[in-house]
Amino acid sequence: GHGYAREVAAALLAYALGPLGHARVVAICSPDNAASRRVLEDVGMRFDRPIRMSEAGEELCLYASAPAGAASE
């Protein structure tokens, strides 16, 4: 890849947490999509928990931004 996904994810995260004033941002991706998981982790998001969008739906990965002022691991 050319790193465009990482650039866009970082910009969206910064905008949501900065000018928009959101305290937390979440993202959902397939557990099999290693590239998407890597992008989310590269921009500072952390795996929160597995989720399902419906009872019969596939299991997905929920990622969340760290709250402002939280120490990173």
Side-chain angles (χ1 to χ4, degrees), residues 25-37:
V25 175
V26 298
I28 298 169
C29 69
S30 169
D32 297 331
N33 192 333
S36 289
R37 294 181 73 168

Side-chain angles (χ1 to χ4, degrees), residues 46-71:
R46 297 291 171 246
F47 178 76
D48 190 68
R49 66 181 182 270
I51 63 164
R52 292 183 190 275
M53 300 301 283
S54 67
E55 193 172 312
E58 69 175 306
E59 188 171 279
L60 301 169
C61 295
L62 176 68
Y63 277 77
S65 61

Side-chain angles (χ1 to χ4, degrees), residues 6-27:
R6 186 173 289 106
E7 287 182 35
V8 169
L12 288 171
L13 186 60
Y15 187 65
L17 296 173
L20 293 181
H22 294 290
R24 185 172 189 240
V25 175
V26 298

